[in-house]
Amino acid sequence: MINATATLFDRATMGFSLSVHIVLAVIGIVLPVIILLAEYLGIRYRDNHYIVLARRLSIAFVVMFAVGTASGMLVATELLFLWPQFMALMSAVAIAPLYLEVFAFFMESIFVALYIYSAHAFRERYIHVAIMVVVALGAVLSGVLITMLNSYMNTPVGFNIPVYLQTGNLTDINPIAVFTAPAASIEVPHVVATSYFAGACIFLAYFSFMLLRTKDDRVKQYYKKAIKLAFAIAAIGLVFSLITGVLSIESLFHLQPEKYAAIELNLQPQTNAPEVLGGIYANNSIEYGIAIPGLQSVLANGSASTNVPGLSQYPQSTWPPLFVHDMFDLMVGLGFLIGIFFAFVLLMALMKRNVLDSRKMLWLFIVVGVFATLLLENGWMVDEFGRQPWIIYNVMLVSQAANQSSSIIPIAVLLILVYIFIIPFTLYVLKKIFERRPLTDEL
Amino acid sequence: MDILILINQVIFSILLSLLLLELGSALLSLADYEKYKERLTSYIAPTWEITGTFSVFYLVNFEATFPSLLPAIGTMYILPVLVAVTFVIVRDAFLAYTEYIGTEKDEKRFARVYGISTIAMMIIITTILSSTISGIGVNLSSLSLNPLIVLNPYNLLMILSLLAFVAFAAIVFFNIEKRSLLFISIIVAFALILFASAAFTPFMLQSLATNPLVVLPSMLLLVAIIVLYWLRKTYAKFLVLPWLFCSVLAFQLIEYPSLFSNSIQISSYITSQASAPYVLIITLAGGAFLAVALSLFVYVHHVHKEEKFHEHEY
């Protein structure tokens, strides 16, 4: 009983920490790009609005970076202390990406300090921009390397798995095979694209909210430029997210058929499989779903004759929770809704309509920011729940990896309380910082 | 000694040296923030992130070097480690708030929270480390800890000796006008650590007796620091970090290869022969990159007078 409770708290603690951390992480990935583009545009076109934008965002970046890196450190620590058996295996066979990520992290933190404290040091101002390019590279490289570990958990390679399952001994270890984990080829670009998209949407929402609140014309111009910058990054991110998203389905079909079957709610393998929208699994059948004939087979492998996998091919004890299907549908639905909205905004812009003068459009940008954050969390949950009950697919169960110490219970409560306090308090402090540095004084 | 173990101990020694200096800064920020503010921020503001990143460096290097030790360490130390990391979150956040909040009242309040959380974090870290040396409060068969891990004389002596070491280091590094405390703090530090070792971990003294040369570099640096400081030379502060590093490393080497009062020989937990070359290559390549990046940082930061980007006029 204690073991099951401890495992539940391990899951809850890790899940809560990661759900907070991925939002901070995507902010950490996109913010350097916004800052460097703003500074570049400011220097290139001698536009003070962009320089002020870079300056003010650099303050926000340092404060968010502080909380984000601490949160990253917490997640790294939790990996070992919540899942000691998992980390023992990973450290023996697949530690390389996590280890390299430390140096990407160093690259980021050293160059952030350099950026903040060295504006005066370079006569060539583009060098200052270049320093932020290194920060941006460090941030995205961290994301790439961590996603490689996640891909490895989905499609493990690099040691003799049958021998390990039989004897518990690690043999035929190839520590760099982790870089070639099959799922990485599509999971990595998808995570990168969605990170830029979701992160930029968060700032799109923030800038739109600030534009709605202001009456000063100079401040309005400032926020309009900021919105255009964030929208451009979000739009590029969205295009790549859609492309890689479609390819992800194909990749799941080939590489993770059990997860695929759960996501598509396929009970039986079949050809000419319908795409089921919505629906739930009850009484050994799918109820309330809307079926589009043949579409699933076409999406999976380009042909209606494709035979898609079904859950009946796997023992029911290893089925992922089937609500992943509805979470997946929600993700795809929201993604396409945002895609249509972005296409509409671009069309309006091409027709020279001034979208940013419409308060309704600004409110819609805020809604997009909220939806994009939901998409981000939802996508991560589909990936993680879709692998359950495994922590490393077909190698180690979550329950085998978990720390069974009952000490986790008070710690889980403490960590959740700290996060509940620190994130709103950070936003409050940022608000106070910017209130004391009025934008009108800087423009 | 295996090269991977030596590297792990070097990384740990750098990390602990950085943390000890930060403990000094935290103590001073609580003692009189307004008085020491400039001296503290000129060091802490640009380096605290790097110190934090070093802790992740050590953690992952430890994981890569001793994978088979992880289930035991992870299961036993979950409570103190995660509590310590909670304080790290608070430390990071409040340090950043302090730097940018812009009003003296809030700045002082936030600096106090930073100071308290850093001290709490360091007390927990010291407790964990002292338990890995003495084994007191640790049950290796059930992989559990008991309250004795905190409430034992060895741990309390180690915490006090560390505070005395930090007092000495902070006086020199932050150029504090308390010269009378200089000798007292370092003598107290050595007296406490010798007493603790003699009473609870005599194997450490035996190890020192067989290899006394390991402490020589730290002793030479200590003498150099005292002489330079007494001559009112500002160069003394530059020796503080190397001295802390040599002292921690020497302590580590004296302890090697045992953990938990000789219950575990750490060398038997080293990673497989297949993984070891890759761990070594990544460490060396990453270390080289780190050295270059830090040199660039130190050059830019110290050669040019510091000025924050948001205060800079184009």
Side-chain angles (χ1 to χ4, degrees):
Chain A
M1 185 61 189
I2 282 179
N3 288 357
T5 310
T7 305
L8 185 69
F9 273 87
D10 288 336
R11 281 175 191 261
T13 311
M14 192 83 214
F16 187 79
S17 306
L18 274 172
S19 66
V20 176
H21 182 66
I22 57 171
V23 176
L24 295 171
V26 297
I27 289 174
I29 286 174
V30 84
L31 200 44
V33 177
I34 300 179
I35 293 172
L36 75 91
L37 286 175
E39 193 180 359
Y40 170 78
L41 292 169
I43 298 169
R44 178 81 176 79
Y45 298 106
R46 295 177 185 278
D47 187 330
N48 191 44
H49 285 163
Y50 283 118
I51 295 291
V52 172
L53 180 64
R55 256 193 217 144
R56 290 175 75 87
L57 287 181
S58 73
I59 296 174
F61 182 53
V62 173
V63 176
M64 294 304 285
F65 188 68
V67 181
T69 50
S71 150
M73 194 188 296
L74 174 68
V75 169
T77 313
E78 283 177 345
L79 278 177
L80 167 57
F81 289 88
L82 297 181
W83 317 103
Q85 300 293 344
F86 163 72
M87 273 315 290
L89 176 60
M90 292 296 277
S91 299
V93 299
I95 194 75
L98 190 61
Y99 203 2
L100 284 174
E101 198 263 346
V102 171
F103 299 105
F105 192 8
F106 265 124
M107 188 160 121
E108 207 181 338
S109 53
I110 292 172
F111 280 78
V112 165
L114 210 50
Y115 183 82
I116 297 295
Y117 292 99
S118 71
H120 57 291
F122 305 104
R123 282 174 189 272
E124 177 54 74
R125 293 186 300 183
Y126 286 117
I127 294 179
H128 195 239
V129 179
I131 290 172
M132 192 45 91
V133 173
V134 180
V135 175
L137 285 175
V140 76
L141 196 57
S142 289
V144 165
L145 290 162
I146 290 300
T147 309
M148 280 181 170
L149 272 190
N150 188 272
S151 307
Y152 182 88
M153 290 156 71
N154 288 326
T155 51
V157 287
F159 65 109
N160 193 325
I161 293 174
V163 169
Y164 175 75
L165 292 175
Q166 274 186 346
T167 66
N169 295 327
L170 291 166
T171 52
D172 304 329
I173 296 171
N174 178 1
I176 52 170
V178 57
F179 294 110
T180 59
S185 61
I186 197 63
E187 206 176 317
V188 168
H190 189 58
V191 166
V192 170
T194 50
S195 298
Y196 281 120
F197 163 69
C201 284
I202 291 170
F203 284 95
L204 187 63
Y206 168 71
F207 296 140
S208 301
F209 179 71
M210 297 307 286
L211 180 56
L212 277 167
R213 284 181 50 170
T214 188
K215 290 188 169 65
D216 185 302
D217 281 342
R218 284 182 311 156
V219 177
K220 278 186 179 175
Q221 287 306 312
Y222 167 87
Y223 279 119
K224 282 180 181 176
K225 287 175 185 171
I227 287 173
K228 286 176 187 168
L229 201 54
F231 182 84
I233 299 168
I236 295 168
L238 178 64
V239 170
F240 283 99
S241 298
L242 291 175
I243 296 169
T244 53
V246 171
L247 293 174
S248 293
I249 308 288
E250 208 178 311
S251 165
L252 282 176
F253 167 72
H254 289 292
L255 302 171
Q256 300 172 72
E258 190 174 3
K259 186 191 269 188
Y260 174 89
I263 281 174
E264 293 290 1
L265 214 52
N266 290 336
L267 295 183
Q268 303 295 333
Q270 57 185 314
T271 55
N272 200 21
E275 182 67 43
V276 179
L277 303 179
I280 54 166
Y281 173 71
N283 306 319
N284 290 323
S285 65
I286 310 302
E287 295 181 3
Y288 311 117
I290 301 166
I292 305 172
L295 181 62
Q296 192 195 140
S297 288
V298 174
L299 288 174
N301 210 23
S303 156
S305 61
T306 301
N307 188 22
V308 299
L311 286 164
S312 63
Q313 293 168 288
Y314 305 93
Q316 195 159 0
S317 60
T318 68
W319 289 8
L322 297 183
F323 58 74
V324 289
H325 166 73
D326 294 304
M327 293 178 82
F328 180 78
D329 281 0
L330 180 69
M331 180 176 74
V332 175
L334 278 178
F336 273 98
L337 267 182
I338 295 176
I340 291 165
F341 175 68
F342 269 48
F344 174 72
V345 173
L346 282 172
L347 190 67
M348 291 287 109
L350 285 173
M351 292 163 68
K352 308 278 184 200
R353 297 280 180 86
N354 207 337
V355 175
L356 300 182
D357 285 338
S358 159
R359 292 182 71 81
K360 281 180 190 163
M361 289 300 278
L362 293 177
W363 277 112
L364 282 173
F365 281 137
I366 295 170
V367 173
V368 162
V370 176
F371 277 5
T373 312
L374 281 175
L375 266 177
L376 181 76
E377 298 282 3
N378 197 29
W380 160 66
M381 284 194 263
V382 168
D383 182 56
E384 292 301 306
F385 281 121
R387 195 184 54 249
Q388 300 301 312
W390 304 99
I391 192 164
I392 303 174
Y393 187 66
N394 272 344
V395 172
M396 186 182 280
L397 293 164
V398 170
S399 55
Q400 292 172 321
N403 190 331
Q404 307 292 353
S405 164
S406 56
S407 307
I408 182 60
I409 297 167
I411 276 295
V413 175
L414 175 69
L415 282 172
I416 289 169
L417 288 177
V418 166
Y419 267 132
I420 286 173
F421 164 75
I422 214 90
I423 300 293
F425 194 69
T426 300
L427 297 176
Y428 166 74
V429 170
L430 277 173
K431 186 172 171 281
K432 277 185 99 172
I433 289 171
F434 288 124
E435 276 172 2
R436 283 169 190 160
R437 301 171 59 92
L439 192 48
T440 43
D441 291 357
E442 291 191 61
L443 291 174
Chain B
M1 182 191 285
D2 191 289
I3 182 74
L4 285 182
I5 297 178
L6 181 63
I7 287 173
N8 177 263
Q9 296 198 341
V10 167
I11 294 168
F12 176 78
S13 304
I14 297 172
L15 170 65
L16 195 57
S17 307
L18 293 170
L19 288 174
L20 290 175
L21 267 190
E22 219 188 293
L23 177 59
S25 138
L27 290 168
L28 288 172
S29 71
L30 286 180
D32 193 340
Y33 179 71
E34 280 160 357
K35 187 176 176 186
Y36 302 122
K37 181 185 159 186
E38 271 187 34
R39 278 176 266 185
L40 297 180
T41 50
S42 67
Y43 168 71
I44 293 294
T47 58
W48 62 272
E49 273 299 358
I50 297 163
T51 304
T53 313
F54 235 98
S55 58
V56 181
F57 184 18
Y58 174 68
L59 175 75
V60 181
N61 177 271
F62 184 85
E63 289 170 348
T65 309
F66 307 108
S68 53
L69 198 54
L70 300 183
I73 297 289
T75 305
M76 284 192 295
Y77 285 102
I78 180 169
L79 181 70
V81 168
L82 289 185
V83 173
V85 178
T86 308
F87 283 113
V88 173
I89 296 175
V90 178
R91 164 233 184 221
D92 274 23
F94 277 83
L95 201 50
Y97 303 159
T98 308
E99 195 175 346
Y100 289 100
I101 192 65
T103 59
E104 271 183 32
K105 194 178 155 199
D106 284 338
E107 197 179 318
K108 206 174 162 185
R109 269 195 290 183
F110 291 163
R112 197 168 292 147
V113 179
Y114 154 73
I116 292 168
S117 54
T118 304
I119 292 167
M121 171 188 87
M122 284 305 292
I123 288 175
I124 298 171
I125 290 173
T126 310
T127 300
I128 293 169
L129 293 176
S130 75
S131 76
T132 64
I133 301 167
S134 69
I136 300 172
V138 178
N139 188 334
L140 286 171
S141 52
S142 66
L143 296 182
S144 60
L145 304 176
N146 63 50
L148 267 182
I149 185 180
V150 180
L151 303 168
N152 72 77
Y154 180 73
N155 183 43
L156 298 177
L157 286 169
M158 290 300 278
I159 290 172
L160 289 176
S161 70
L162 208 69
L163 286 172
F165 265 110
V166 166
F168 172 81
I171 288 169
V172 180
F173 192 80
F174 296 109
N175 199 15
I176 307 301
E177 306 78 13
K178 301 270 183 193
R179 298 175 86 191
S180 55
L181 279 178
L182 199 69
F183 279 115
I184 297 171
S185 58
I186 197 69
I187 289 168
V188 167
F190 276 112
L192 287 172
I193 210 159
L194 276 173
F195 176 67
S197 300
F200 299 97
T201 56
F203 67 93
M204 294 276 285
L205 292 182
Q206 286 161 14
S207 172
L208 178 63
T210 57
N211 194 6
L213 288 178
V214 293
V215 296
L216 196 59
S218 56
M219 285 300 150
L220 289 174
L221 280 167
L222 179 62
V223 171
I225 287 171
I226 293 172
V227 170
L228 279 176
Y229 188 79
W230 218 248
L231 293 173
R232 292 180 175 275
K233 293 274 172 66
T234 51
Y235 300 115
K237 69 180 279 189
F238 296 110
L239 293 182
V240 171
L241 255 179
W243 170 69
L244 283 171
F245 168 75
C246 288
S247 305
V248 177
L249 186 62
F251 194 77
Q252 291 269 101
L253 293 175
I254 293 167
E255 189 193 0
Y256 177 81
S258 75
L259 276 182
F260 304 109
S261 192
N262 272 334
S263 300
I264 279 181
Q265 302 295 302
I266 197 162
S267 47
S268 55
Y269 290 89
I270 201 153
T271 193
S272 67
Q273 286 189 337
S275 294
Y278 294 100
V279 175
L280 187 61
I281 288 167
I282 294 175
T283 310
L284 294 179
F289 161 76
L290 191 58
V292 171
L294 282 174
S295 305
L296 177 68
F297 170 72
V298 170
Y299 170 75
V300 172
H301 185 62
H302 284 288
V303 173
H304 300 278
K305 193 174 172 293
E306 79 173 53
E307 183 185 31
K308 288 179 191 167
F309 174 47
H310 63 268
E311 291 162 357
H312 174 69
E313 291 299 327
Y314 269 96

